[in-house]
Short mmCIF file of all heavy atoms in Angstrom, two decimals:
data_model
loop_
_atom_site.label_atom_id
_atom_site.label_comp_id
_atom_site.label_asym_id
_atom_site.label_seq_id
_atom_site.Cartn_x
_atom_site.Cartn_y
_atom_site.Cartn_z
N MET A 1 0.83 -1.18 0.00
CA MET A 1 0.00 0.00 0.00
C MET A 1 0.87 1.25 0.00
O MET A 1 0.60 2.17 -0.75
CB MET A 1 -0.91 -0.03 1.23
CG MET A 1 -1.92 1.06 1.23
SD MET A 1 -3.12 0.99 -0.09
CE MET A 1 -4.25 -0.20 0.55
N ILE A 2 1.91 1.26 0.83
CA ILE A 2 2.80 2.42 0.90
C ILE A 2 3.46 2.66 -0.45
O ILE A 2 3.60 3.81 -0.89
CB ILE A 2 3.86 2.24 2.00
CG1 ILE A 2 3.21 2.19 3.38
CG2 ILE A 2 4.91 3.34 1.96
CD1 ILE A 2 2.45 3.43 3.77
N ASP A 3 3.84 1.61 -1.14
CA ASP A 3 4.45 1.77 -2.46
C ASP A 3 3.49 2.44 -3.43
O ASP A 3 3.89 3.31 -4.22
CB ASP A 3 4.90 0.41 -3.03
CG ASP A 3 6.08 -0.17 -2.28
OD1 ASP A 3 6.80 0.59 -1.60
OD2 ASP A 3 6.27 -1.40 -2.36
N HIS A 4 2.21 2.07 -3.39
CA HIS A 4 1.20 2.71 -4.26
C HIS A 4 1.06 4.20 -3.91
O HIS A 4 1.02 5.05 -4.79
CB HIS A 4 -0.16 2.03 -4.12
CG HIS A 4 -0.27 0.69 -4.76
ND1 HIS A 4 -0.03 0.47 -6.09
CD2 HIS A 4 -0.60 -0.50 -4.24
CE1 HIS A 4 -0.21 -0.79 -6.36
NE2 HIS A 4 -0.55 -1.42 -5.24
N VAL A 5 0.98 4.50 -2.62
CA VAL A 5 0.83 5.89 -2.19
C VAL A 5 2.04 6.71 -2.62
O VAL A 5 1.89 7.81 -3.18
CB VAL A 5 0.62 5.98 -0.66
CG1 VAL A 5 0.69 7.43 -0.18
CG2 VAL A 5 -0.70 5.35 -0.26
N ASN A 6 3.23 6.20 -2.41
CA ASN A 6 4.43 6.92 -2.82
C ASN A 6 4.47 7.13 -4.32
O ASN A 6 4.85 8.21 -4.80
CB ASN A 6 5.68 6.20 -2.34
CG ASN A 6 5.95 6.40 -0.85
OD1 ASN A 6 5.48 7.35 -0.24
ND2 ASN A 6 6.70 5.49 -0.27
N ALA A 7 4.08 6.13 -5.10
CA ALA A 7 4.10 6.25 -6.55
C ALA A 7 3.12 7.31 -7.04
O ALA A 7 3.44 8.12 -7.92
CB ALA A 7 3.79 4.90 -7.20
N VAL A 8 1.93 7.34 -6.48
CA VAL A 8 0.90 8.30 -6.91
C VAL A 8 1.26 9.72 -6.48
O VAL A 8 1.11 10.67 -7.24
CB VAL A 8 -0.49 7.89 -6.36
CG1 VAL A 8 -1.50 9.01 -6.54
CG2 VAL A 8 -0.97 6.62 -7.04
N THR A 9 1.76 9.87 -5.25
CA THR A 9 2.01 11.21 -4.71
C THR A 9 3.36 11.78 -5.12
O THR A 9 3.58 12.98 -5.03
CB THR A 9 1.95 11.20 -3.18
OG1 THR A 9 2.99 10.37 -2.67
CG2 THR A 9 0.60 10.72 -2.68
N GLY A 10 4.28 10.91 -5.53
CA GLY A 10 5.62 11.37 -5.85
C GLY A 10 6.52 11.47 -4.64
O GLY A 10 7.67 11.86 -4.74
N TYR A 11 5.99 11.13 -3.49
CA TYR A 11 6.78 11.12 -2.27
C TYR A 11 7.51 9.78 -2.17
O TYR A 11 7.11 8.80 -2.78
CB TYR A 11 5.90 11.29 -1.04
CG TYR A 11 5.33 12.67 -0.87
CD1 TYR A 11 4.03 12.95 -1.26
CD2 TYR A 11 6.09 13.69 -0.32
CE1 TYR A 11 3.49 14.22 -1.10
CE2 TYR A 11 5.57 14.96 -0.15
CZ TYR A 11 4.27 15.22 -0.55
OH TYR A 11 3.75 16.46 -0.39
N ASP A 12 8.54 9.74 -1.36
CA ASP A 12 9.23 8.49 -1.07
C ASP A 12 9.46 8.44 0.43
O ASP A 12 10.56 8.69 0.93
CB ASP A 12 10.56 8.41 -1.83
CG ASP A 12 11.24 7.06 -1.65
OD1 ASP A 12 10.55 6.09 -1.29
OD2 ASP A 12 12.46 6.98 -1.86
N ARG A 13 8.37 8.19 1.14
CA ARG A 13 8.43 8.22 2.59
C ARG A 13 8.13 6.83 3.15
O ARG A 13 7.21 6.17 2.71
CB ARG A 13 7.42 9.21 3.14
CG ARG A 13 7.75 10.62 2.72
CD ARG A 13 6.86 11.61 3.38
NE ARG A 13 7.28 12.94 3.00
CZ ARG A 13 6.51 13.99 3.05
NH1 ARG A 13 5.28 13.88 3.48
NH2 ARG A 13 6.96 15.17 2.69
N PRO A 14 8.89 6.43 4.15
CA PRO A 14 8.60 5.15 4.80
C PRO A 14 7.37 5.29 5.69
O PRO A 14 7.03 6.39 6.12
CB PRO A 14 9.85 4.89 5.65
CG PRO A 14 10.38 6.25 5.95
CD PRO A 14 10.06 7.10 4.73
N PRO A 15 6.70 4.18 5.97
CA PRO A 15 5.55 4.25 6.88
C PRO A 15 5.98 4.59 8.29
O PRO A 15 7.10 4.29 8.70
CB PRO A 15 4.96 2.84 6.81
CG PRO A 15 6.08 1.97 6.37
CD PRO A 15 6.98 2.83 5.52
N VAL A 16 5.10 5.23 9.01
CA VAL A 16 5.33 5.51 10.42
C VAL A 16 4.42 4.58 11.21
O VAL A 16 3.20 4.63 11.07
CB VAL A 16 4.99 6.99 10.77
CG1 VAL A 16 5.12 7.24 12.26
CG2 VAL A 16 5.89 7.92 9.97
N VAL A 17 5.01 3.71 11.98
CA VAL A 17 4.25 2.76 12.78
C VAL A 17 4.00 3.38 14.14
O VAL A 17 4.93 3.82 14.82
CB VAL A 17 5.00 1.41 12.91
CG1 VAL A 17 4.21 0.44 13.75
CG2 VAL A 17 5.29 0.84 11.53
N ALA A 18 2.73 3.43 14.53
CA ALA A 18 2.36 4.05 15.80
C ALA A 18 1.22 3.25 16.43
O ALA A 18 0.58 2.42 15.76
CB ALA A 18 1.93 5.49 15.58
N LEU A 19 0.97 3.52 17.69
CA LEU A 19 -0.15 2.87 18.37
C LEU A 19 -1.46 3.34 17.76
O LEU A 19 -1.56 4.44 17.20
CB LEU A 19 -0.11 3.20 19.86
CG LEU A 19 1.10 2.67 20.63
CD1 LEU A 19 1.07 3.18 22.06
CD2 LEU A 19 1.13 1.15 20.59
N ARG A 20 -2.47 2.52 17.89
CA ARG A 20 -3.80 2.85 17.40
C ARG A 20 -4.34 4.03 18.19
O ARG A 20 -4.20 4.11 19.42
CB ARG A 20 -4.70 1.63 17.58
CG ARG A 20 -6.05 1.79 16.96
CD ARG A 20 -6.78 0.46 16.80
NE ARG A 20 -6.75 -0.39 17.96
CZ ARG A 20 -7.79 -0.59 18.78
NH1 ARG A 20 -8.93 0.02 18.57
NH2 ARG A 20 -7.68 -1.40 19.80
N ARG A 21 -4.93 4.98 17.48
CA ARG A 21 -5.50 6.17 18.11
C ARG A 21 -6.94 5.89 18.53
O ARG A 21 -7.58 4.99 17.99
CB ARG A 21 -5.49 7.34 17.12
CG ARG A 21 -4.10 7.66 16.60
CD ARG A 21 -4.17 8.53 15.38
NE ARG A 21 -4.87 7.80 14.32
CZ ARG A 21 -5.03 8.23 13.08
NH1 ARG A 21 -4.56 9.39 12.72
NH2 ARG A 21 -5.67 7.51 12.18
N PRO A 22 -7.47 6.68 19.48
CA PRO A 22 -8.87 6.52 19.84
C PRO A 22 -9.76 6.68 18.59
O PRO A 22 -9.58 7.60 17.80
CB PRO A 22 -9.12 7.65 20.84
CG PRO A 22 -7.78 7.97 21.39
CD PRO A 22 -6.81 7.73 20.26
N GLY A 23 -10.66 5.74 18.41
CA GLY A 23 -11.55 5.79 17.25
C GLY A 23 -11.07 4.99 16.06
O GLY A 23 -11.85 4.70 15.16
N ASP A 24 -9.78 4.62 16.03
CA ASP A 24 -9.28 3.79 14.94
C ASP A 24 -9.83 2.37 15.08
O ASP A 24 -9.93 1.85 16.20
CB ASP A 24 -7.74 3.71 14.96
CG ASP A 24 -7.07 4.97 14.44
OD1 ASP A 24 -7.76 5.82 13.84
OD2 ASP A 24 -5.84 5.08 14.62
N PRO A 25 -10.16 1.72 13.97
CA PRO A 25 -10.62 0.33 14.07
C PRO A 25 -9.47 -0.58 14.51
O PRO A 25 -8.30 -0.28 14.26
CB PRO A 25 -11.07 0.00 12.65
CG PRO A 25 -10.37 0.98 11.78
CD PRO A 25 -10.13 2.20 12.60
N ALA A 26 -9.81 -1.69 15.14
CA ALA A 26 -8.80 -2.64 15.60
C ALA A 26 -8.09 -3.29 14.42
O ALA A 26 -6.91 -3.59 14.49
CB ALA A 26 -9.44 -3.70 16.48
N HIS A 27 -8.81 -3.52 13.34
CA HIS A 27 -8.20 -4.04 12.12
C HIS A 27 -9.06 -3.66 10.93
O HIS A 27 -10.24 -3.35 11.08
CB HIS A 27 -8.00 -5.57 12.19
CG HIS A 27 -9.28 -6.34 12.27
ND1 HIS A 27 -9.92 -6.58 13.45
CD2 HIS A 27 -10.02 -6.93 11.30
CE1 HIS A 27 -11.02 -7.28 13.22
NE2 HIS A 27 -11.11 -7.50 11.94
N ILE A 28 -8.45 -3.66 9.77
CA ILE A 28 -9.14 -3.30 8.53
C ILE A 28 -8.89 -4.42 7.53
O ILE A 28 -7.77 -4.88 7.36
CB ILE A 28 -8.62 -1.97 7.97
CG1 ILE A 28 -8.88 -0.84 8.96
CG2 ILE A 28 -9.25 -1.66 6.62
CD1 ILE A 28 -8.24 0.47 8.58
N VAL A 29 -9.94 -4.83 6.86
CA VAL A 29 -9.83 -5.85 5.83
C VAL A 29 -10.47 -5.29 4.57
O VAL A 29 -11.60 -4.82 4.60
CB VAL A 29 -10.55 -7.15 6.25
CG1 VAL A 29 -10.47 -8.18 5.15
CG2 VAL A 29 -9.98 -7.67 7.55
N ALA A 30 -9.74 -5.33 3.49
CA ALA A 30 -10.27 -4.84 2.22
C ALA A 30 -9.83 -5.77 1.10
O ALA A 30 -8.64 -6.06 0.97
CB ALA A 30 -9.79 -3.43 1.94
N SER A 31 -10.77 -6.24 0.35
CA SER A 31 -10.45 -7.11 -0.77
C SER A 31 -11.62 -7.11 -1.73
O SER A 31 -12.78 -7.15 -1.33
CB SER A 31 -10.19 -8.54 -0.28
OG SER A 31 -10.01 -9.40 -1.38
N ALA A 32 -11.31 -7.07 -3.00
CA ALA A 32 -12.35 -7.16 -4.03
C ALA A 32 -12.48 -8.59 -4.54
O ALA A 32 -13.22 -8.85 -5.47
CB ALA A 32 -12.03 -6.22 -5.19
N ASP A 33 -11.77 -9.52 -3.93
CA ASP A 33 -11.79 -10.91 -4.39
C ASP A 33 -13.18 -11.52 -4.33
O ASP A 33 -13.59 -12.25 -5.23
CB ASP A 33 -10.82 -11.77 -3.58
CG ASP A 33 -9.37 -11.38 -3.81
OD1 ASP A 33 -9.09 -10.72 -4.84
OD2 ASP A 33 -8.54 -11.73 -2.97
N ARG A 34 -13.93 -11.24 -3.28
CA ARG A 34 -15.25 -11.86 -3.13
C ARG A 34 -16.21 -11.41 -4.23
O ARG A 34 -16.98 -12.21 -4.73
CB ARG A 34 -15.83 -11.56 -1.76
CG ARG A 34 -17.14 -12.28 -1.56
CD ARG A 34 -17.62 -12.18 -0.15
NE ARG A 34 -18.92 -12.81 -0.06
CZ ARG A 34 -19.75 -12.64 0.93
NH1 ARG A 34 -19.42 -11.87 1.94
NH2 ARG A 34 -20.91 -13.23 0.94
N VAL A 35 -16.17 -10.14 -4.59
CA VAL A 35 -17.09 -9.66 -5.62
C VAL A 35 -16.85 -10.37 -6.95
O VAL A 35 -17.77 -10.60 -7.72
CB VAL A 35 -17.03 -8.12 -5.77
CG1 VAL A 35 -15.78 -7.67 -6.49
CG2 VAL A 35 -18.25 -7.59 -6.49
N ALA A 36 -15.61 -10.77 -7.19
CA ALA A 36 -15.28 -11.48 -8.44
C ALA A 36 -15.92 -12.86 -8.50
O ALA A 36 -16.05 -13.43 -9.58
CB ALA A 36 -13.76 -11.59 -8.60
N THR A 37 -16.32 -13.40 -7.35
CA THR A 37 -16.96 -14.72 -7.35
C THR A 37 -18.44 -14.64 -7.67
O THR A 37 -19.07 -15.65 -7.93
CB THR A 37 -16.77 -15.44 -5.99
OG1 THR A 37 -17.47 -14.71 -4.98
CG2 THR A 37 -15.30 -15.56 -5.64
N GLU A 38 -19.01 -13.45 -7.64
CA GLU A 38 -20.42 -13.26 -7.96
C GLU A 38 -20.59 -13.18 -9.47
O GLU A 38 -19.90 -12.40 -10.13
CB GLU A 38 -20.95 -11.98 -7.31
CG GLU A 38 -20.82 -11.93 -5.81
CD GLU A 38 -21.79 -12.87 -5.12
OE1 GLU A 38 -22.91 -13.06 -5.64
OE2 GLU A 38 -21.40 -13.42 -4.07
N PRO A 39 -21.49 -13.96 -10.05
CA PRO A 39 -21.68 -13.91 -11.51
C PRO A 39 -22.02 -12.51 -12.00
O PRO A 39 -22.87 -11.83 -11.44
CB PRO A 39 -22.86 -14.86 -11.74
CG PRO A 39 -22.89 -15.74 -10.53
CD PRO A 39 -22.36 -14.91 -9.40
N GLY A 40 -21.30 -12.06 -13.02
CA GLY A 40 -21.57 -10.77 -13.63
C GLY A 40 -21.07 -9.57 -12.85
O GLY A 40 -21.42 -8.44 -13.19
N ARG A 41 -20.28 -9.79 -11.82
CA ARG A 41 -19.80 -8.67 -11.01
C ARG A 41 -18.29 -8.63 -11.02
O ARG A 41 -17.63 -9.64 -11.08
CB ARG A 41 -20.30 -8.80 -9.57
CG ARG A 41 -21.80 -8.84 -9.53
CD ARG A 41 -22.39 -8.35 -8.31
NE ARG A 41 -21.78 -7.14 -7.81
CZ ARG A 41 -22.26 -6.45 -6.84
NH1 ARG A 41 -23.36 -6.81 -6.26
NH2 ARG A 41 -21.66 -5.37 -6.41
N GLN A 42 -17.77 -7.42 -10.95
CA GLN A 42 -16.33 -7.23 -10.79
C GLN A 42 -16.09 -5.83 -10.24
O GLN A 42 -16.93 -4.95 -10.39
CB GLN A 42 -15.59 -7.40 -12.12
CG GLN A 42 -15.92 -6.34 -13.17
CD GLN A 42 -15.16 -6.59 -14.45
OE1 GLN A 42 -14.88 -7.72 -14.81
NE2 GLN A 42 -14.84 -5.54 -15.16
N ALA A 43 -14.97 -5.67 -9.58
CA ALA A 43 -14.63 -4.36 -9.01
C ALA A 43 -14.39 -3.37 -10.14
O ALA A 43 -13.75 -3.70 -11.14
CB ALA A 43 -13.40 -4.47 -8.12
N LYS A 44 -14.91 -2.17 -10.00
CA LYS A 44 -14.74 -1.14 -11.02
C LYS A 44 -13.41 -0.42 -10.87
O LYS A 44 -12.80 -0.01 -11.86
CB LYS A 44 -15.89 -0.14 -10.93
CG LYS A 44 -15.91 0.89 -12.03
CD LYS A 44 -17.17 1.73 -11.97
CE LYS A 44 -17.20 2.73 -13.10
NZ LYS A 44 -18.41 3.55 -13.06
N TYR A 45 -12.93 -0.26 -9.64
CA TYR A 45 -11.69 0.47 -9.38
C TYR A 45 -10.75 -0.42 -8.58
O TYR A 45 -11.18 -1.22 -7.76
CB TYR A 45 -11.97 1.75 -8.59
CG TYR A 45 -12.93 2.67 -9.29
CD1 TYR A 45 -14.25 2.77 -8.89
CD2 TYR A 45 -12.51 3.43 -10.37
CE1 TYR A 45 -15.14 3.61 -9.55
CE2 TYR A 45 -13.38 4.28 -11.04
CZ TYR A 45 -14.70 4.36 -10.62
OH TYR A 45 -15.56 5.18 -11.27
N ASP A 46 -9.45 -0.23 -8.80
CA ASP A 46 -8.48 -0.94 -7.98
C ASP A 46 -7.89 0.04 -6.96
O ASP A 46 -8.24 1.22 -6.91
CB ASP A 46 -7.40 -1.61 -8.83
CG ASP A 46 -6.54 -0.64 -9.63
OD1 ASP A 46 -6.55 0.58 -9.34
OD2 ASP A 46 -5.84 -1.09 -10.55
N VAL A 47 -6.99 -0.47 -6.13
CA VAL A 47 -6.41 0.35 -5.06
C VAL A 47 -5.72 1.58 -5.61
O VAL A 47 -5.88 2.69 -5.09
CB VAL A 47 -5.44 -0.50 -4.20
CG1 VAL A 47 -4.63 0.37 -3.27
CG2 VAL A 47 -6.21 -1.54 -3.43
N ARG A 48 -4.97 1.41 -6.67
CA ARG A 48 -4.25 2.56 -7.24
C ARG A 48 -5.23 3.63 -7.74
O ARG A 48 -4.99 4.82 -7.57
CB ARG A 48 -3.30 2.12 -8.34
CG ARG A 48 -2.44 3.27 -8.80
CD ARG A 48 -1.26 2.80 -9.59
NE ARG A 48 -0.50 3.94 -10.01
CZ ARG A 48 0.79 4.06 -9.89
NH1 ARG A 48 1.48 3.08 -9.34
NH2 ARG A 48 1.42 5.12 -10.29
N ASP A 49 -6.34 3.21 -8.37
CA ASP A 49 -7.36 4.17 -8.79
C ASP A 49 -7.90 4.97 -7.61
O ASP A 49 -8.09 6.19 -7.69
CB ASP A 49 -8.54 3.46 -9.47
CG ASP A 49 -8.20 2.79 -10.76
OD1 ASP A 49 -7.29 3.26 -11.48
OD2 ASP A 49 -8.86 1.78 -11.09
N MET A 50 -8.14 4.28 -6.50
CA MET A 50 -8.70 4.96 -5.32
C MET A 50 -7.70 5.91 -4.69
O MET A 50 -8.06 7.02 -4.27
CB MET A 50 -9.19 3.92 -4.32
CG MET A 50 -10.43 3.17 -4.84
SD MET A 50 -11.08 2.00 -3.66
CE MET A 50 -10.13 0.55 -4.08
N ILE A 51 -6.43 5.51 -4.63
CA ILE A 51 -5.40 6.40 -4.09
C ILE A 51 -5.24 7.63 -4.98
O ILE A 51 -5.14 8.75 -4.50
CB ILE A 51 -4.06 5.66 -3.94
CG1 ILE A 51 -4.18 4.58 -2.87
CG2 ILE A 51 -2.93 6.63 -3.60
CD1 ILE A 51 -3.01 3.62 -2.83
N THR A 52 -5.25 7.41 -6.29
CA THR A 52 -5.13 8.52 -7.24
C THR A 52 -6.28 9.50 -7.08
O THR A 52 -6.08 10.72 -7.03
CB THR A 52 -5.06 7.99 -8.69
OG1 THR A 52 -3.92 7.14 -8.81
CG2 THR A 52 -4.98 9.12 -9.69
N SER A 53 -7.50 9.00 -6.97
CA SER A 53 -8.66 9.86 -6.79
C SER A 53 -8.57 10.65 -5.49
O SER A 53 -8.84 11.86 -5.46
CB SER A 53 -9.93 9.00 -6.79
OG SER A 53 -11.06 9.78 -6.51
N ALA A 54 -8.18 9.98 -4.41
CA ALA A 54 -8.05 10.66 -3.12
C ALA A 54 -6.97 11.74 -3.18
O ALA A 54 -7.15 12.85 -2.67
CB ALA A 54 -7.73 9.65 -2.02
N TRP A 55 -5.84 11.43 -3.83
CA TRP A 55 -4.74 12.40 -3.93
C TRP A 55 -5.16 13.60 -4.76
O TRP A 55 -4.86 14.75 -4.41
CB TRP A 55 -3.50 11.73 -4.51
CG TRP A 55 -2.32 12.65 -4.61
CD1 TRP A 55 -1.71 13.05 -5.75
CD2 TRP A 55 -1.61 13.28 -3.55
NE1 TRP A 55 -0.66 13.89 -5.47
CE2 TRP A 55 -0.58 14.05 -4.11
CE3 TRP A 55 -1.76 13.27 -2.17
CZ2 TRP A 55 0.30 14.80 -3.34
CZ3 TRP A 55 -0.87 14.02 -1.40
CH2 TRP A 55 0.14 14.76 -2.00
N GLU A 56 -5.87 13.37 -5.86
CA GLU A 56 -6.33 14.49 -6.70
C GLU A 56 -7.28 15.39 -5.91
O GLU A 56 -7.19 16.61 -5.99
CB GLU A 56 -7.00 13.96 -7.96
CG GLU A 56 -6.01 13.36 -8.94
CD GLU A 56 -6.67 12.63 -10.10
OE1 GLU A 56 -7.92 12.46 -10.11
OE2 GLU A 56 -5.92 12.20 -11.00
N GLY A 57 -8.18 14.80 -5.13
CA GLY A 57 -9.09 15.60 -4.30
C GLY A 57 -8.34 16.38 -3.23
O GLY A 57 -8.62 17.55 -2.99
N TRP A 58 -7.38 15.73 -2.59
CA TRP A 58 -6.60 16.39 -1.53
C TRP A 58 -5.81 17.56 -2.10
O TRP A 58 -5.79 18.64 -1.51
CB TRP A 58 -5.66 15.37 -0.88
CG TRP A 58 -4.83 15.99 0.21
CD1 TRP A 58 -3.53 16.39 0.12
CD2 TRP A 58 -5.25 16.30 1.53
NE1 TRP A 58 -3.12 16.92 1.31
CE2 TRP A 58 -4.15 16.88 2.20
CE3 TRP A 58 -6.44 16.13 2.22
CZ2 TRP A 58 -4.23 17.31 3.51
CZ3 TRP A 58 -6.50 16.57 3.54
CH2 TRP A 58 -5.40 17.14 4.17
N THR A 59 -5.16 17.38 -3.25
CA THR A 59 -4.33 18.46 -3.79
C THR A 59 -5.17 19.60 -4.36
O THR A 59 -4.67 20.72 -4.46
CB THR A 59 -3.34 17.94 -4.84
OG1 THR A 59 -4.03 17.26 -5.89
CG2 THR A 59 -2.31 17.01 -4.22
N ARG A 60 -6.43 19.33 -4.71
CA ARG A 60 -7.31 20.45 -5.09
C ARG A 60 -7.58 21.34 -3.88
O ARG A 60 -7.65 22.56 -4.00
CB ARG A 60 -8.63 19.93 -5.67
CG ARG A 60 -8.57 19.66 -7.16
CD ARG A 60 -9.96 19.48 -7.76
NE ARG A 60 -10.69 18.33 -7.25
CZ ARG A 60 -10.54 17.08 -7.68
NH1 ARG A 60 -9.68 16.81 -8.63
NH2 ARG A 60 -11.26 16.11 -7.17
N LEU A 61 -7.77 20.72 -2.72
CA LEU A 61 -8.03 21.49 -1.50
C LEU A 61 -6.75 22.02 -0.86
O LEU A 61 -6.78 23.02 -0.14
CB LEU A 61 -8.77 20.62 -0.49
CG LEU A 61 -10.18 20.20 -0.89
CD1 LEU A 61 -10.75 19.21 0.12
CD2 LEU A 61 -11.09 21.39 -1.04
N HIS A 62 -5.64 21.32 -1.09
CA HIS A 62 -4.36 21.67 -0.48
C HIS A 62 -3.26 21.68 -1.55
O HIS A 62 -2.43 20.78 -1.59
CB HIS A 62 -3.99 20.67 0.62
CG HIS A 62 -5.07 20.53 1.65
ND1 HIS A 62 -5.20 21.40 2.71
CD2 HIS A 62 -6.07 19.63 1.78
CE1 HIS A 62 -6.23 21.03 3.44
NE2 HIS A 62 -6.78 19.97 2.90
N PRO A 63 -3.27 22.66 -2.45
CA PRO A 63 -2.33 22.65 -3.57
C PRO A 63 -0.86 22.61 -3.14
O PRO A 63 -0.01 22.12 -3.88
CB PRO A 63 -2.65 23.94 -4.34
CG PRO A 63 -3.65 24.67 -3.57
CD PRO A 63 -4.15 23.81 -2.46
N GLU A 64 -0.57 23.10 -1.95
CA GLU A 64 0.82 23.08 -1.48
C GLU A 64 1.33 21.65 -1.32
O GLU A 64 2.53 21.41 -1.39
CB GLU A 64 0.96 23.85 -0.16
CG GLU A 64 0.31 23.21 1.04
CD GLU A 64 -1.21 23.39 1.15
OE1 GLU A 64 -1.82 24.03 0.28
OE2 GLU A 64 -1.77 22.90 2.14
N ALA A 65 0.47 20.68 -1.12
CA ALA A 65 0.88 19.29 -0.95
C ALA A 65 1.51 18.74 -2.23
O ALA A 65 2.44 17.96 -2.18
CB ALA A 65 -0.29 18.43 -0.53
N ALA A 66 1.00 19.17 -3.36
CA ALA A 66 1.53 18.68 -4.64
C ALA A 66 2.89 19.25 -4.94
O ALA A 66 3.64 18.69 -5.71
CB ALA A 66 0.55 19.02 -5.76
N ARG A 67 3.22 20.35 -4.32
CA ARG A 67 4.51 21.00 -4.59
C ARG A 67 5.59 20.57 -3.59
O ARG A 67 6.72 20.95 -3.72
CB ARG A 67 4.35 22.51 -4.54
CG ARG A 67 3.49 23.03 -5.68
CD ARG A 67 3.52 24.54 -5.72
NE ARG A 67 2.90 25.15 -4.56
CZ ARG A 67 1.62 25.51 -4.47
NH1 ARG A 67 0.82 25.29 -5.49
NH2 ARG A 67 1.16 26.08 -3.38
N SER A 68 5.23 19.82 -2.57
CA SER A 68 6.21 19.44 -1.53
C SER A 68 7.19 18.43 -2.03
O SER A 68 6.95 17.65 -2.87
CB SER A 68 5.47 18.87 -0.32
OG SER A 68 4.66 19.86 0.26
#
């Protein structure tokens, strides 16, 4: 995941491992594999598409982030 984020944003930063904050879920599971088992269904976007969309939205609101 970090490699995808770094590739999309142009940053090359290692992850920062920290304790879970109040309100953070205990664990997160994300996979589009199950939808592929349903007849006629498939994921429309992959992880890189979602990171790209989020980054484009963030840099519209925070243009200085794209220049860092």
Side-chain angles (χ1 to χ4, degrees):
M1 187 65 81
I2 296 299
D3 290 340
H4 287 302
V5 171
N6 284 338
V8 168
T9 64
Y11 289 100
D12 186 20
R13 295 187 177 158
V16 175
V17 179
L19 296 174
R20 187 164 47 105
R21 302 164 298 185
D24 284 348
H27 64 275
I28 298 172
V29 178
S31 174
D33 294 340
R34 184 171 176 196
V35 75
T37 66
E38 301 288 326
R41 301 207 43 170
Q42 66 181 32
K44 186 173 181 180
Y45 302 103
D46 64 15
V47 169
R48 187 164 179 132
D49 294 330
M50 291 183 272
I51 293 169
T52 300
S53 175
W55 181 245
E56 288 171 354
W58 180 260
T59 56
R60 273 194 297 277
L61 294 173
H62 306 277
E64 69 281 1
R67 292 189 295 268
S68 296

